[in-house]
């Protein structure tokens, strides 16, 4: 406890060092100025200023010119006006037993099996993964796969994606009262399902966006594509000013469920569920008052130049010609290394001076005394960030980042709860997590939130936002009817959950 207090005192002193030095100096100058008389002012002018006008005038002009140039050329702030997370209908809810039945029906419907599905070892394998995944019994599956026999067709896949995107956008436009024709920039990301016409074209057609909208469709970029889409929209808003940018993040389950026997390809079936999010960004100054957040930083890290990183998550055919996404054994090491590089770039941008100094001292110490200092100092990101939205890619991903960043259980509560309630919804998961924090009433004015997402390639991308007001949950929030049932207690060994009772409700 004493060490914690000492560190907090150190952090306060270093962070406020300028103020601690500046205010006493200001008080001394103010005291002297208070005692200054008219004769004293005349004496100051004639003895100093009059003889140094040639120096003072250019300095003053340079200061004014520099200030005007800075104000004119700095990028405009990018505001997050509102966002909406898609909540599938209740008839699409899929308990673990129901998901297992979907796997069974999909395999049974495979023409190569002739209507038989006798091998039970794969079922036991999937059940173990499912029970330890951290997912609950209220996640959602696609309608096509819930039918018997399942519809694993292109048409069913299109229906799933259209339902998600249109549902999220309808709620977004309703909550913001923004006319779709006011959208100047559109970015849609879906990694595994990219039909022709594109999904961005589908949005343009459905909502009748204007003909000169700048539309982009991002494919094959994995679960971190949501932050990539935000970063792209930010850069476009800096070029095409005074407009709205619409970002849509989703993934498709129907067309990408794996029906083969390769166990490295079976894992993704257990984690991914239906979901999507639509985000409205603006660079209009008048939108600041009604916006929820301002974008502070985006940092993108790509380690795809390394072969091991490039191949650790890869789509392909198994030995029987069935398509799936394989996860290599190197994924944990690759993810850890990529996350460290991303944090090394983001840290100097957001960490207070006190943490930068401690890291610099230990860094130099390790260089000079390699044997005595074994590890670098791990900065305390909680001094710079109030809320964390770690991509709900799986229980192991959350566990590793919680440990490496030195986070408390409440810091990863949004991620664990999202994984339990909605599963891995790919690039949109960080928005369900942000919605969770808002629904809990924890987002206060000035709070900073860090969204961190991992994806194939291999990529780690971060976005940092600052709350412009005390943020309340949006209308029709995905957590609207279940927030009082969370968080849930997850058994660390089995992965099974037990709902905690809060506010007198289970």
């Amino acid at each position: 406890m004493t060490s914690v207090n000492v560190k907090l005192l150190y952090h306060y002193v270093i962070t406020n060092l300028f103020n601690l030095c500046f205010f006493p100096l200001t008080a001394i100058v103010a005291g002297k100025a208070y005692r200054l008389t008219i004769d004293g002012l005349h004496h100051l002018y004639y003895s100093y200023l009059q003889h140094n006008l040639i120096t003072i005038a250019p300095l003053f002009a340079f200061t004014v010119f520099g200030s005007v140039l800075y104000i004119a050329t700095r990028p405009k702030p990018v505001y997050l006006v509102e966002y909406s997370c898609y909540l599938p209908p209740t008839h699409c809810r899929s308990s673990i037993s129901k998901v297992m039945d979907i796997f069974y029906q999909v395999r049974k419907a495979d023409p190569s099996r002739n209507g038989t599905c006798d091998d039970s070892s794969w079922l036991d394998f999937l059940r173990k993964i499912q029970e330890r995944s951290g997912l609950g019994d209220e996640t959602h599956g696609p309608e096509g796969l819930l039918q018997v026999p399942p519809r694993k067709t292109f048409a069913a896949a299109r229906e799933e994606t259209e339902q998600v995107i249109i549902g999220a956008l309808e709620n977004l436009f309703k909550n913001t009262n923004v006319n779709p024709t006011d959208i100047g920039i559109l970015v849609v990301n879906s990694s595994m399902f990219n039909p022709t016409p594109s999904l961005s074209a589908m949005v343009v057609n459905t909502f009748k966006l204007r003909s000169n909208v700048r539309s982009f469709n991002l494919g094959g970029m994995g679960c971190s594509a949501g932050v990539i889409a935000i970063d792209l929209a930010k850069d476009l808003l800096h070029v095409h000013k005074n407009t709205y940018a619409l970002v849509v993040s989703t993934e498709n389950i129907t067309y990408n469920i794996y029906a083969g026997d390769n166990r490295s390809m079976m894992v993704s079936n257990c984690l991914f569920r239906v979901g999507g999010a639509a985000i409205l960004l603006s660079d209009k100054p008048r939108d600041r008052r009604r916006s929820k957040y301002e974008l502070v930083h985006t940092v993108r890290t790509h380690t795809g130049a390394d072969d091991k990183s490039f191949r650790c998550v890869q789509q392909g055919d198994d030995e029987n010609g069935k398509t799936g996404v394989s996860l290599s054994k190197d994924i944990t090491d690759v993810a850890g290394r990529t996350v460290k590089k991303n944090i090394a770039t983001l840290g100097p941008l957001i960490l207070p001076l006190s943490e930068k100094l401690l890291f610099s001292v230990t860094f130099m110490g390790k260089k000079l005394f390699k044997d005595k200092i074994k590890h670098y100092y791990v900065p305390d990101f909680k001094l710079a960030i109030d809320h964390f939205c770690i991509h709900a890619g799986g229980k192991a991903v959350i566990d590793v980042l919680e440990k490496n960043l030195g986070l408390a259980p409440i810091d990863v509560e949004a991620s664990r709860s999202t994984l339990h309630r909605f599963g891995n919804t790919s690039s949109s998961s960080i928005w369900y997590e942000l919605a969770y924090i808002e629904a809990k009433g924890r987002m206060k004015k000035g709070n900073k939130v860090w969204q961190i997402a991992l994806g194939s390639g291999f990529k780690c991308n971060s976005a940092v936002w600052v709350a412009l007001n005390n943020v309340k949950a949006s209308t029709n929030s995905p957590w609207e009817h279940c927030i009082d049932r969370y968080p849930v207690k997850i058994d660390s060994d089995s992965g099974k959950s037990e709902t905690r009772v809060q506010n007198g409700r289970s």
Side-chain angles (χ1 to χ4, degrees):
M1 190 66 181
T2 304
S3 61
V4 173
N5 292 334
V6 170
K7 184 174 181 180
L8 290 175
L9 178 62
Y10 159 77
H11 169 69
Y12 176 82
V13 171
I14 297 297
T15 303
N16 298 280
L17 186 62
F18 176 78
N19 292 337
L20 294 174
C21 296
F22 178 74
F23 283 122
L25 182 61
T26 303
I28 294 172
V29 173
K32 290 185 175 293
Y34 178 75
R35 294 193 295 269
L36 198 63
T37 62
I38 298 297
D39 291 338
L41 287 173
H42 281 284
H43 176 72
L44 179 65
Y45 174 77
Y46 288 113
S47 63
Y48 181 75
L49 296 179
Q50 188 178 36
H51 300 292
N52 293 279
L53 286 177
I54 297 177
T55 304
I56 294 173
L59 183 61
F60 177 76
F62 179 79
T63 303
V64 172
F65 175 77
S67 301
V68 172
L69 184 65
Y70 171 75
I71 294 172
T73 58
R74 68 173 181 173
K76 276 189 174 182
V78 173
Y79 304 115
L80 194 163
V81 180
E82 182 60 280
Y83 66 96
S84 173
C85 298
Y86 177 68
L87 180 62
T90 54
H91 67 265
C92 289
R93 285 188 182 175
S94 303
S95 63
I96 290 178
S97 60
K98 194 171 185 178
V99 170
M100 297 303 298
D101 185 58
I102 291 174
F103 296 157
Y104 180 85
Q105 294 296 337
V106 168
R107 288 170 67 90
K108 186 177 180 181
D110 185 358
S112 65
R113 299 184 188 276
N114 298 318
T116 62
C117 193
D118 299 329
D119 186 9
S120 60
S121 62
W122 65 269
L123 194 62
D124 293 335
F125 173 74
L126 289 178
R127 183 178 288 110
K128 288 179 181 178
I129 294 177
Q130 193 74 55
E131 291 176 348
R132 297 173 182 176
S133 65
L135 277 70
D137 284 331
E138 294 187 334
T139 60
H140 299 88
E143 291 191 12
L145 296 183
L146 292 174
Q147 299 174 7
V148 179
R151 291 173 57 225
K152 191 176 180 290
T153 63
F154 192 90
R158 185 188 289 274
E159 288 173 11
E160 177 200 338
T161 296
E162 288 183 352
Q163 287 173 1
V164 172
I165 292 178
I166 294 172
L169 284 174
E170 285 179 343
N171 189 54
L172 179 68
F173 287 132
K174 181 179 179 181
N175 288 347
T176 59
N177 292 320
V178 170
N179 192 317
T181 57
D182 292 333
I183 303 298
I185 298 165
L186 171 65
V187 183
V188 179
N189 69 269
S190 173
S191 185
M192 304 292 287
F193 182 67
N194 290 280
T196 300
S198 67
L199 296 178
S200 59
M202 182 271 290
V203 173
V204 172
N205 175 260
T206 303
F207 294 93
K208 310 306 175 187
L209 271 60
R210 64 197 197 205
S211 60
N212 65 343
V213 64
R214 294 167 178 85
S215 63
F216 300 84
N217 207 89
L218 307 181
M221 303 193 79
C223 298
S224 67
V227 177
I228 297 175
I230 292 293
D231 184 62
L232 175 59
K234 176 200 72 174
D235 290 344
L236 290 168
L237 283 171
H238 288 163
V239 177
H240 308 285
K241 299 180 179 180
N242 200 38
T243 188
Y244 288 113
L246 184 62
V247 173
V248 181
S249 296
T250 188
E251 192 51 88
N252 187 276
I253 309 300
T254 302
Y255 210 56
N256 296 288
I257 192 168
Y258 175 67
D261 301 315
N262 188 313
R263 295 197 173 189
S264 68
M265 292 181 171
M266 290 182 184
V267 176
S268 60
N269 286 354
C270 301
L271 299 175
F272 286 92
R273 297 291 189 271
V274 173
I279 304 97
L280 183 66
L281 304 176
S282 173
D283 65 349
K284 300 180 181 181
R286 67 174 180 270
D287 279 327
R288 179 183 176 87
R289 293 186 63 184
R290 70 166 182 154
S291 296
K292 287 186 169 184
Y293 305 94
E294 179 181 336
L295 184 58
V296 181
H297 299 290
T298 53
V299 172
R300 293 168 55 180
T301 303
H302 201 312
T303 58
D306 174 67
D307 290 343
K308 186 184 291 187
S309 297
F310 178 71
R311 294 191 177 95
C312 70
V313 180
Q314 197 163 31
Q315 185 181 26
D317 294 335
D318 66 9
E319 54 276 7
N320 296 316
K322 295 182 175 61
T323 304
V325 177
S326 63
L327 306 178
S328 78
K329 296 178 180 179
D330 299 321
I331 189 170
T332 303
D333 293 336
V334 167
R337 186 172 68 252
T338 309
V339 168
K340 285 181 180 178
K341 289 185 177 181
N342 186 267
I343 292 174
T345 304
L346 181 65
L349 299 176
I350 64 173
L351 286 171
L353 180 61
S354 58
E355 292 299 286
K356 294 177 186 178
L357 284 175
L358 285 175
F359 179 80
S360 299
V361 169
T362 57
F363 180 82
M364 294 302 297
K366 186 171 175 57
K367 292 291 183 181
L368 297 173
F369 310 102
K370 294 182 180 179
D371 297 333
K372 295 183 178 180
I373 301 177
K374 296 182 179 181
H375 303 287
Y376 292 117
Y377 171 73
V378 178
D380 186 355
F381 280 88
K382 288 186 287 186
L383 294 174
I385 299 294
D386 301 286
H387 307 285
F388 297 82
C389 295
I390 299 170
H391 166 54
K395 182 176 178 293
V397 174
I398 301 171
D399 289 344
V400 168
L401 286 176
E402 178 185 11
K403 179 181 178 181
N404 291 345
L405 294 176
L407 303 180
I410 194 172
D411 297 320
V412 295
E413 182 183 306
S415 299
R416 294 196 190 282
S417 297
T418 295
L419 182 65
H420 183 272
R421 177 66 179 83
F422 296 101
N424 181 351
T425 61
S426 190
S427 56
S428 64
S429 68
I430 53 178
W431 297 104
Y432 286 89
E433 293 164 19
L434 186 58
Y436 178 90
I437 296 170
E438 293 177 0
K440 284 292 185 181
R442 296 172 182 170
M443 190 65 70
K444 306 301 180 184
K445 183 177 181 179
N447 281 182
K448 287 184 179 179
V449 57
W450 177 10
Q451 294 177 319
I452 181 169
L454 308 175
S456 59
F458 195 83
K459 299 180 287 292
C460 176
N461 301 312
S462 294
V464 178
W465 307 83
V466 61
L468 299 175
N469 300 287
N470 294 339
V471 182
K472 297 180 180 179
S474 305
T475 304
N476 295 325
S477 164
W479 298 95
E480 195 169 69
H481 304 294
C482 63
I483 191 63
D484 289 335
R485 293 191 280 116
Y486 283 84
V488 296
K489 183 179 180 181
I490 306 293
D491 189 302
S492 58
D493 296 322
S494 68
K496 295 180 180 179
S497 61
E498 177 184 337
T499 305
R500 293 176 182 173
V501 178
Q502 293 188 345
N503 302 328
R505 296 162 63 179
S506 62

